[in-house]
Amino acid sequence: MFYRESGQFKSAYAADQAMFPILQDRIGMAVILAVAFVGVPMVANDYFLSTLLIPFLIFALAAIGLNILTGYCGQLSLGTGGFMACGAFAAYKLATALPEMNIVVVFLLSGFVSAAVGVVFGVPSLRIKGFYLAVATLAAQFFLIWLFTKVPWFVNYSASGVISAPPRDVFGFYVTGIEATAEAKYIFCLSFVAVLALVAKNLVRGRVGRAWMAIRDMDIAAEIIGIKPLQTKLLAFAVSSFYCGVAGALWAFIYTSSVEALAFDINRSFQILFMIIIGGLGSILGSFLGAAFIVLLPIFLNVVPTAIGVPLSTAMIAHMEFMIFGALIIFFLIVEPHGLARLWQLGKEKLRLWPFPH
Amino acid sequence: MTGDILGFLFGPLKEIWEFPIFFVEVVIGGLLTGVMYSLVALGFVLIFKASGVFNFAQGAMVLCAALSFVGFQELGAPIWLALILTLATMLLMAMAIERLVLRPLVNQPAIILFMATIGITFFIDGLFQTIWGSDIKRMDVGIPKEPMEFGGVLVNTFDIVAALVAGTLVATLAFFFQSTRIGRALRAVADDHQAAQSVGIPLRTIWVIVWAVAGLVALVAGIMWGSKLGVQFSLALIALKALPVLILGGFTSIPGAIIGGLIIGVGEKVAEVYWAPGIGGGIEDWFAYILALVFLMFRPQGLFGEKIIERV
Amino acid sequence: MANKGRVIGDTLLKVENVSLGFGGVKALTDVSFDIRKGEIRAIIGPNGAGKSSMLNCINGFYHPSAGQITYKGQVRKQMRPHETAAGGIARTFQNIALFRGMSTLDNIMTGRLLKMKRGFWWHCLHWGPALREEIEHREHVERIIDFLEIQAIRKTPVGRLPYGLQKRVELGRALAAEPDLLLLDEPMAGMNLEEKEDMCRFILDVNEEFGTTIALIEHDMGVVMDISDRVVVLEYGRKIADGTPDEVKSDKRVIDAYLGVPHE
Amino acid sequence: MSPPPSRDPAHDTFPKLLLRNAAVRGARVAMREKEFGIWQSWTWAEMAREIRCIAQGLAELGVARGDKVALVGDNRPQLYWSMCAAQCLGAVPVPVYQDAVADEMAYVIDHAGAKLAVAEDQEQVDKLLQIRKKAPGLARIVFEDARGMRNYDDAALTSFARVREIGAAREAKDAAWLDAEMAAGRGADASVMLYTSGTTGQPKGVLLSYDNVIRTAENAIAFDGLNETDEVLAYLPMAWVGDHIFSYAEAYVAGFCVSCPESGATVMTDLKEIGPSFFFAPPRIFENILTQVSIRIEDAGAFKRWLYRYFMALAKRVGIALMDKKPVAAADRLLYALGEFLVYGPIKNVLGLTRMRLGYTAGEAIGPDIFDFYRSLGLNLKQLYGATESSVFICMQPDGQIKSDTVGVAAPEVEIKIAESGEVLVKSPGIFQAYYKNPEATAAAKTDDGYYKTGDAGFFDKDGHLKIIDRAKDVGRLQDGTLFAPKYVENKLKFFSYVKEAVAFGHGRDAVAAFVNIDLEAVGNWAERQGLAYASYQELAAKPEVYDLIAACVEKVNRDLAEDPNVAGSQVRRFLILHKELDADDGELTRTRKVRRNFIADRYGPLVDALYSGAERGHISTVVTFEDGRTGRIEADLAIREAPRFAPARRVELARAG
């Protein structure tokens, strides 16, 4: 309906392969970015920023990470939480050991630390596949969390084991610690997520992404056309863990302001997995949609029953959440394995052909 | 530094050498825990063999069975009635899963089915806790828990009973598989879905039966674990412990599940008792996984699994 | 067929006394033949004759239990398929092995992966050298698309394509690697007459236009005899004949094998 | 009497215009072609370079002033370039219908005396090689697409790439020679030779001078306000004068961009991508598009169908008035704007007409419903009346005065008069020089005072708009002396989407009878919705239900005809549905898809007899040519239907009109 593509022809491959080949999509994306960077900080209150948008952004980043590994490269992982924890603790160690280091650099480096750990745990993917691998990634999950809980070096020998994120600034604005405003934190997260999402999109639409998808769709055929399976999978593990690691660092430093291993337990891994199943396997957009869904559902469950006069107990809400997530996962796997992203895509296709059905 | 590491690695060996009786106790304790792991793993294997589904929900089924059993008892039902009602519940659940999840997903890649069972896990976890509540419940089916002594070695009576129950269950299942018509049908299904269907075995019925049997196994496991640890959400996590057991034993082998369980049980216990103190303890969370992982690198199909021949 | 201008060169690949077994089953027994540069070489035989196993040995998917394979003058060590691919061997599969989640264009682009050298970091930016490289290879792929006349399905996910077109896309993916040796596993299986004719034309065009050496397995004797230079006939994992189509056609054992004379 | 020269005397030939465009708008895109997945484009400067190289190459192959160069193929930039390259050398390009069978092609090439042919691909080369005996003058064949040409070793063959290569070498050495050649051309020189398809007899080669074409193009461009920013899709045969004027002459004069589709099969997709601002199509294509729209919307959900119907009804009511800037109620304006967002805009977008500023349809009468459909969407579609012999333009519709049943007023610098016989006579700068090697025909086609006899019968209505009813020679009379214009009746039938072709008979008979060809797509779709199963065209055409459907159409036509006293006598009494589609390959249609009525009457004689004998069925056996050239025989036994007829409107009106 909104699409007027007639006359938008491509006379170069660069334009044909652009991220948003349709003008209306480019405009839409520009509007979204403008609203996110300018509009939202101007209107939104602290509560909205810190309890909704910031976790949403961080979840989206982690979901992109898992989506790269699972959605694009086809390697199911249940160790997302572990890799996130890796990033969080690496960032903590780096930030405390090198207080002068810019926090952006700290986060990026902690991403690389996670990537390295991811590669180690990705090595078995050469020999084992499918759910065997999923089980193997559980090893990463449990081992890493245990490591961060039990080895005091990671928490700088703090007695309680729970530590708060040190205050750091970017361009004079505090983005972590008590003095950081919700707006500054939000903008900081948003910038990180926007840039990294762009990088992820770039990766998946080029040579690297094609190799991943080839492995995912048919690993034997992929190898026979010359794709090195181990290298390709390890790269996916590395990139995926990088994203998860940065997300973990953001989570600990910006969202909760405290670094604790328990925030990244097995349930976190499942949560992220649900995001990409609901949002859409093999879709960057889907990672955002899934994250939004998972952030919003509990709030919805809190607000709606109260609004219609049937308030639920906290335990009840927790159980309802479990059931709804479980049911939704099954629903999406049956009805639309490509999740919300595919639904959006289909809707867009409809709009492009409107009013015709095909 | 090197000395520290060597000391850490080999120090406990000396200890074992010096106190062999204690070591035997530890090993037996490990074996008996291993039996319990095997019990959960058995459920996985059953379902995997008959439907190719890696049922992540097996742990949740253990929790659900235990919750229902205790719940019915709390409502005033005698043990036998609670047992029957719980079995009926598990059968109902098996039918629902077959109808609502497996049937629509038939012919999907295994990984999709696996993720679907994660969905099942969450759904039934939520559902049963909504019904029965999430408080820790005590379960007592009258199994004595006093330690007994065999030739200087102390053993927990409860563990012995659990081992006996598990053994009986395995024997029954083995008989069921080898000698009954349904059992043979199940084996046929496992070998070749189409062949099984073409000789007139209704695949859907088979699936319901398998899931129901897995429910029964879950109930037994639930009662055992529940009596030992109390019935609570963490029971579902026991199931996660069964995963490395499976990797070790191979997904398709009942003996593998048992032996894998024993190896994990012993390995974990020994490591926990002798080596864990040196590195902070609590290693049972991950030791089994790392063990399985290392093992996988050398034998991807597990101890008793069939070698995977890739075809193009 | 006027095949003028074609030059059949020296031996490109030599299979010597290759045997292959799975457990107790012998898939290949003592098979020897060669493939010369620039020719179309067919491997035929009844079902279960070991044709696919032979291709799988050539491209490194299986490792012969005895015998050796010499490729480009070098005796080949145990090689993973991706290593043989790097050596210039591409193939298609009997049961189409396309990447179902990707479009026709992306599928064929994957065939170029071996030739894409730009580093990971450039790809993060998808800019500069990485973009130039993408475009350069896209141009090449577009020529293949044009050659195979599949312009209309360029952006269609391959899962939605009819069988015949999928086969063509798969050929395109193999061609994208600019192979020295192209292995085709039953390229015409399950096709109707018209599709078979098209496929024959493409195979001949590939051979003549790019000078690609082709080894193909085919069930349909007629087609094979029309387009190939030399034919190897396998039966029960053994070679029973080898020669030009005419020679093979008149070979008694081949006739027996194809007419189903009992074999002891 | 020579036509006036071009308005820009310094640029009176296409080669000169090319140089001008390369100089004044060298960086603007001149041509595009969809190839290798994107629109490859050439600026005027690049195109000029290409054309110069090709011209040099052709000169090397021996093409010289006055030679004829045949062009055979689909719309390809390289063929358009060859056209201009030939003109650079003073040679005359002769585009040939690319779907012509070998015999037809042989006649044209031999008659034109073409020395060299530029062929698009292997298919055309094969045809040309095949006809060399019949056209001995053809010494060289240049082929553009080398695909499949590897094993051809005929000495006459040269690849286009090779021509360009040797041309480039020559250009590097001696560009001045070509400059001189290009400058030597004069406006009065022959520019192009286009063969008219001709409903009877052999095609005639119409020689047009540069002055003819360029002056006419200038007038048309001024009339419609075209400029260098316009976009055109070149998809109609190059041999057809319409394409020559719109995709070549006007592009060179105005300097706008011409895009060539990827292939015949992708025209609609390519149209959507390019979104031309100036679009030309024969009524048939507009009709097909509308049929597609109706079919696709039928598959939509109830809400969308309702939305479509509601807003199309609104458009029908106010759309045309809005376009003609007539007063419309504010509420309707608002609703129309909403409709533009919800329905009209999206439909135009899907059809690729979003950017269309100007559209033309000509060649045949367009159904008023179809015409109004496009105009009510806000598309400036106009009718045009023209001929090859007049460089197209005879009548044009000025903005704001567009009627669906007339072809408009005389185009700029065109004089029209109606002869005693009702024939339309035309004098204009575009009137052709002569029929090549056919002075008798030339003499017969022109009056002594320089008017061209169009051969069409028509009259001016009260607003001075010309109304064409039929070919002058086809207008006949029934036995009782009533006027009978077969095409008028046929067109009325064809305005129904279910009817693809109709052939009306009646001259010298007591009443009108007709053959009908159903539209397989529209009727097939209708049949599907009715749950009718059918395996072939023949089976579908014979269904009684389909007969009912067509009978309803015929009835409506008769009712309509009865309204107009001039033609009330032409109501169809009996009709039948033909068992096969009329086909140009069988000689039943011309290459421009006009029915060859007399040929059909001969070929299907028994059926015509049956229509007039009162029989319930007619039997026919015909020879058909299959795609691969084999022939076969089709036998059919066809039902004949009687159609209800209506009393003519009151005589008073007839008297007034008469």
Side-chain angles (χ1 to χ4, degrees), chain C residues 2 142 147 149 154 208-209, chain D residues 36-37 147 150-151 262:
Chain C
E142 285 290 345
F147 177 81
E149 295 161 16
R154 185 184 285 114
E208 293 178 19
E209 212 133 293
Chain D
F36 301 126
R147 176 99 199 251
R150 205 172 39 250
N151 295 323
E262 189 162 25

Side-chain angles (χ1 to χ4, degrees), chain D residues 566-638:
Chain D
N566 278 316
V567 288
S570 310
Q571 294 183 47
V572 177
R573 188 175 66 186
R574 281 156 64 82
F575 74 94
L576 59 78
I577 302 177
L578 278 179
H579 56 294
K580 72 174 275 283
E581 288 184 272
L582 296 173
D583 195 336
D585 287 341
D586 293 333
E588 294 159 341
L589 300 175
T590 65
R591 286 287 157 209
T592 47
R593 299 194 64 86
K594 291 177 184 153
V595 296
R596 296 169 77 172
R597 204 171 293 114
N598 293 336
F599 179 88
I600 293 170
D602 281 351
R603 185 182 179 128
Y604 297 100
L607 290 180
V608 180
D609 292 345
L611 278 175
Y612 286 102
S613 71
E616 300 230 319
R617 303 190 76 80
H619 184 81
I620 184 71
S621 139
T622 43
V623 175
V624 291
T625 314
F626 296 111
E627 271 183 8
D628 56 3
R630 287 182 297 124
T631 56
R633 183 162 281 279
I634 291 187
E635 305 245 352
D637 194 37
L638 303 176

Side-chain angles (χ1 to χ4, degrees), chain D residues 295-463:
Chain D
I295 290 172
R296 283 165 80 181
I297 210 76
E298 279 309 311
D299 293 339
F303 173 70
K304 280 190 194 168
R305 282 207 310 274
W306 174 83
L307 205 67
Y308 174 79
R309 296 222 172 96
Y310 177 81
F311 280 107
M312 285 322 295
L314 176 81
K316 203 167 182 174
R317 202 150 46 80
V318 304
I320 293 172
L322 275 169
M323 174 120 88
D324 291 342
K325 305 212 162 44
K326 290 186 184 135
V328 170
D332 282 343
R333 274 177 193 277
L334 212 66
L335 271 176
Y336 189 87
L338 184 65
E340 171 70 27
F341 176 73
L342 289 173
V343 178
Y344 318 139
I347 287 184
K348 284 186 275 189
N349 174 52
V350 174
L351 299 180
L353 302 176
T354 301
R355 302 202 297 175
M356 187 181 108
R357 289 199 298 128
L358 173 65
Y360 271 124
T361 176
E364 291 270 344
I366 188 166
D369 287 349
I370 299 166
F371 191 66
D372 288 346
F373 169 82
Y374 291 97
R375 292 194 54 82
S376 68
L377 285 180
L379 292 167
N380 188 17
L381 182 63
K382 296 179 178 186
Q383 293 191 76
L384 176 67
Y385 173 55
T388 310
E389 287 85 347
S390 64
S391 311
V392 177
F393 299 99
I394 294 174
C395 284
M396 298 170 89
Q397 297 183 313
D399 288 330
Q401 301 180 40
I402 285 144
K403 304 197 229 175
S404 64
D405 57 346
T406 76
V407 293
V409 301
E413 295 194 303
V414 174
E415 292 168 45
I416 301 176
K417 63 181 185 183
I418 310 287
E420 287 291 304
S421 62
E423 187 171 4
V424 179
L425 306 178
V426 181
K427 195 191 240 176
S428 81
I431 297 301
F432 71 122
Q433 305 300 298
Y435 290 120
Y436 188 60
K437 292 200 246 173
N438 197 345
E440 307 86 60
T442 312
K446 286 189 181 180
T447 63
D448 300 337
D449 53 352
Y451 277 88
Y452 162 62
K453 295 195 236 174
T454 59
D456 290 320
F459 57 88
F460 284 103
D461 71 0
K462 59 183 192 315
D463 301 324

Side-chain angles (χ1 to χ4, degrees), chain D residues 161-185:
Chain D
R162 177 79 192 132
V163 171
R164 199 199 164 284
E165 190 185 325
I166 54 178
R170 211 175 124 128
E171 171 77 3
K173 279 206 297 279
D174 198 2
W177 174 82
L178 187 62
D179 288 336
E181 282 294 300
M182 287 166 87

Side-chain angles (χ1 to χ4, degrees), chain C residues 2 4 138 142-143 146-149 151 154 201-202 205 208-209, chain D residues 34-38 40 145-148 150-153 262 266:
Chain C
K4 69 178 192 65
R138 169 87 190 265
E142 285 290 345
R143 263 153 235 280
D146 189 63
F147 177 81
L148 294 173
E149 295 161 16
Q151 296 96 331
R154 185 184 285 114
R201 186 162 56 84
F202 288 131
D205 279 356
E208 293 178 19
E209 212 133 293
Chain D
K34 182 89 185 269
E35 204 185 12
F36 301 126
I38 50 170
Q40 315 283 349
D145 184 352
R147 176 99 199 251
R150 205 172 39 250
N151 295 323
Y152 286 62
D153 54 359
E262 189 162 25
T266 59

